[in-house]
Amino acid sequence: MATHITHYALPAPVFEHPTRLALIVSPYYREIADQLLEGAKAACEASRAMYDIIEVPGALEIPTAIALAAKSGDYDGYVALGCVIRGETTHYETVCNDSSRGLTLLGLEGHAIGNGILTVENVDQAVIRAEASGQNKGGGAAVAALHLIALARRFQAKRPKPPLPEGEFKMAGSPPAPKGTA
C-alpha cells in the first residue's frame, strides 16, 4: 500500500551580494528543456541571482561544459538541465551514470551544482517532472545550486591566519644549511 509523503523544500536563499549562475542545458528534448529552463530562470530571479544560459548537445557534455565555465571564474554556481529517456539500448545507463558521476566529481571539487538532469522511463514522466508549473525540477535544481553557493560563502569566511615567526626559521622540507653556518 502506497502512502502519500509530503516533500519539504528549504526556502530559497536571497542574495545581497552579486550572484551569477551558469544554466547549462541540453536541448535534446527541446520541450522538456524549455520547461526546465523556465523553472530555473524563475528561481534565479526570485533569489536576485543573475544567470547565463549555455547550451550543449547532450547530457554527457554538461559536466564538461561546467568544468570549462568554471575556469573562467565568472560563476558562483551551475545548474545542469537536461533529460535522458530510456531507450532500447544500454546507452541510457551510460548517459545517466556518466553525467551524474561527472557532476558529483565537480561538486566534490567545490563547485556549487544543482542537478536538474531528468532520468526517466518515458516522455510522460519527463513532462510531469519538467513542468515549471508542476514538479518544477529545473527550479529545484537552481534552488539547490543557490543553497550550495550560500553554504560555500558561509564556509569561506576569512579567519585570520596566525603570523609567521619573526627572524630566521626553517620550514619542513627546506634544504639543510651549508656547513659552517647556523
Side-chain angles (χ1 to χ4, degrees), residues 33-163:
D34 287 346
Q35 284 294 302
L36 291 168
L37 199 51
E38 183 180 325
K41 290 178 353 185
C44 289
E45 290 162 5
S47 290
R48 296 194 302 242
M50 298 171 287
Y51 59 85
D52 292 327
I53 299 167
I54 301 167
E55 290 190 345
V56 296
L60 281 176
E61 290 76 35
I62 292 173
T64 303
I66 290 172
L68 293 170
K71 290 179 181 179
S72 74
D74 292 339
Y75 301 103
D76 299 293
Y78 309 88
V79 182
L81 301 171
C83 180
V84 185
I85 300 174
R86 186 179 297 279
E88 297 175 355
T89 68
T90 59
H91 185 65
Y92 171 84
E93 282 83 11
T94 298
V95 175
C96 293
N97 293 336
D98 290 355
S99 62
S100 178
R101 179 176 167 79
L103 295 177
T104 298
L105 291 173
L106 288 165
L108 293 173
E109 289 177 2
H111 301 290
I113 301 171
N115 185 352
I117 300 176
L118 304 179
T119 54
V120 296
E121 298 294 320
N122 54 56
V123 173
D124 292 338
Q125 289 178 352
V127 168
I128 290 168
R129 285 157 180 77
E131 286 181 330
S133 62
Q135 287 190 12
N136 191 13
K137 296 298 184 182
V143 169
L146 292 166
H147 276 291
L148 291 171
I149 292 167
L151 193 61
R153 288 180 177 176
R154 174 181 160 199
F155 291 133
Q156 285 176 350
K158 302 292 183 209
R159 293 186 182 166
K161 294 181 182 179

